[in-house]
Amino acid sequence: MKINRVELREIQMPLVHSFETSFGKTTLRRIVLVRVDAEGLSGWGEVTAGEAPLYSHETFETAWHVLREFLIPWALEHDCTSPSELAARFRPIRGHNMAKAALENALWVIEAEQKGIPLAKAVGGTLDEIPCGVSIGIQSNVEVLLEKIAREVSAGYQRIKVKVKPGWDVTVLERIRTEFPRISLMADANSAYTLADLEHLKQFDRFYLMMIEQPLGWDDIIDHAKLQREISTPICLDESIHSADDARKAIDLGACKIINMKLGRVGGFTSARRLHEVCRTRNIPVWCGGMLESGIGRAHNVAMSSLPGFTLPGDVSASRRYWTKDIISPEVTVSPHGTIRVPQTPGLGYEPDLDRIEKVTTRKEQFS
Ligand code: OSB
Ligand code: MG
């Protein structure tokens, strides 16, 4: 595969509704897109990093730097035979998984198109429809949250995830369970607690949650293993897992029973496929997380969610929940029974809307 040209772009798009987690609030998304031209085709990738280093160390700006100074020059230096070979070339660079993933994933799109198969199939997907849930941020008060849950449940979403933090947890979950005793419900703390909160966290068991996501340290697996021995709610790890090896260690230690997979966090499809395999052989369910992606990253998430180990509804939901107008056509839509159909056409399966992308671009740079 000979890469002829790479283009970096920053786009800026306001979210339809701001999104608040235990670590902060996002109103405007600043997203770095990567376009790769190779073999007479072009493929797009998205950097899923946030605006600030609050979810992980990466930001859209650190990704721009690492792509511009290292990843893009390394990719242009000599041809690669496959996206996985490029992933291997990037291995000496420590961390910066979201920057790596954007470039590698663009190559997967090109490869799929070249082979005349859908991206989902190229990465090993088997499902033609994926189950969807939603992630609902912290709200100004419980009534607003209950209303939002009611709206998403009636839209058909198969499970509801709510964000929690100290002061917005047990009483909120209590209210949700009173109003919605039967919905599939889970909570994501984004590392808002420590083991000192053990007695408090034990109360979560009352709400028969599907799981609690990343309650403790963003880089921890030891304390999570201790916590998992004390609570019956399954722990799902997000922030702590960056590779198949991380997953193996966390699982063997008993730190989690479920894993949230994010393409950016784990560094792209090659790593995601390995991680998926580790979880499959150990019977650990995985599901696809979200990073408030534009249509490009969302399309990649749909493809990844079609792998057979993705047995639980993910956070991949309809474009319209995030954007007044997405940058792909068609936009990602969700059926009344809470599923997304996996595109069966060659390549990405959604057309990047070049006019729309140009309109929201705030800077771009080309490399060849
Ligand atoms: O922890 O899963 C998370 C968004 C940004 C950063 C971290 C997380 C999230 C979400 C939203 O929960 C998922 C989405 O709707 O894209
Ligand atoms: Mg999470």
Side-chain angles (χ1 to χ4, degrees), residues 55 161 163 188 190 213-214 238-239 260 262:
Y55 167 82
K161 163 168 135 182
K163 293 289 188 176
D188 186 359
N190 290 108
E213 186 175 337
Q214 199 74 31
D238 173 355
E239 282 90 330
N260 166 338
K262 290 182 180 169

Side-chain angles (χ1 to χ4, degrees), residues 149-257:
I149 294 174
R151 195 173 319 143
E152 304 295 13
V153 168
S154 63
Y157 285 103
Q158 297 185 17
R159 72 102 170 91
I160 301 293
K161 163 168 135 182
V162 293
K163 293 289 188 176
V164 291
K165 64 174 183 181
W168 179 269
D169 51 17
V170 174
T171 53
V172 172
L173 293 168
E174 188 93 62
R175 284 291 306 279
I176 298 173
R177 272 311 185 206
T178 306
E179 298 286 327
F180 306 96
R182 307 170 84 94
I183 58 170
S184 294
L185 181 67
M186 61 173 289
D188 186 359
N190 290 108
S191 296
Y193 303 93
T194 70
L195 272 186
D197 302 307
L198 177 60
E199 290 311 311
H200 181 71
L201 289 168
K202 280 183 180 171
Q203 296 184 66
F204 282 51
D205 282 346
R206 293 212 310 272
F207 308 112
Y208 46 101
L209 304 175
M210 295 172 82
M211 68 196 90
I212 178 168
E213 186 175 337
Q214 199 74 31
L216 307 179
W218 59 275
D219 56 351
D220 167 79
I221 57 173
I222 307 283
D223 285 355
H224 279 101
K226 282 187 189 155
L227 176 63
Q228 186 66 92
R229 287 194 286 275
E230 302 288 331
I231 62 174
S232 58
T233 305
I235 291 176
C236 169
L237 289 179
D238 173 355
E239 282 90 330
S240 302
I241 307 297
H242 303 97
S243 66
D245 268 343
D246 283 355
R248 173 180 58 77
K249 292 170 195 170
I251 296 164
D252 288 355
L253 207 60
C256 65
K257 295 180 177 167

Side-chain angles (χ1 to χ4, degrees), residues 224-353:
H224 279 101
K226 282 187 189 155
L227 176 63
Q228 186 66 92
R229 287 194 286 275
E230 302 288 331
I231 62 174
S232 58
T233 305
I235 291 176
C236 169
L237 289 179
D238 173 355
E239 282 90 330
S240 302
I241 307 297
H242 303 97
S243 66
D245 268 343
D246 283 355
R248 173 180 58 77
K249 292 170 195 170
I251 296 164
D252 288 355
L253 207 60
C256 65
K257 295 180 177 167
I258 300 171
I259 289 179
N260 166 338
M261 284 263 268
K262 290 182 180 169
L263 271 169
R265 196 192 70 226
V266 306
F269 279 116
T270 303
S271 166
R273 279 154 45 102
R274 272 193 214 112
L275 214 155
H276 170 260
E277 207 41 48
V278 163
C279 293
R280 279 254 284 179
T281 55
R282 287 168 169 75
N283 273 317
I284 295 292
V286 299
W287 54 273
C288 183
M291 292 291 287
L292 312 173
E293 286 93 344
S294 81
I296 302 290
R298 203 163 292 279
H300 289 106
N301 286 343
V302 171
M304 182 171 73
S305 304
S306 73
L307 268 70
F310 286 72
T311 51
L312 297 170
D315 280 345
V316 186
S317 59
S319 297
R320 53 178 296 198
R321 293 188 64 250
Y322 306 84
W323 317 114
T324 47
K325 187 167 162 47
D326 205 341
I327 58 169
I328 52 166
S329 171
E331 302 198 338
V332 174
T333 55
V334 169
S335 74
H337 49 285
T339 61
I340 294 172
R341 290 207 72 77
V342 179
Q344 303 297 319
T345 50
L348 188 66
Y350 304 85
E351 205 55 48
D353 180 340

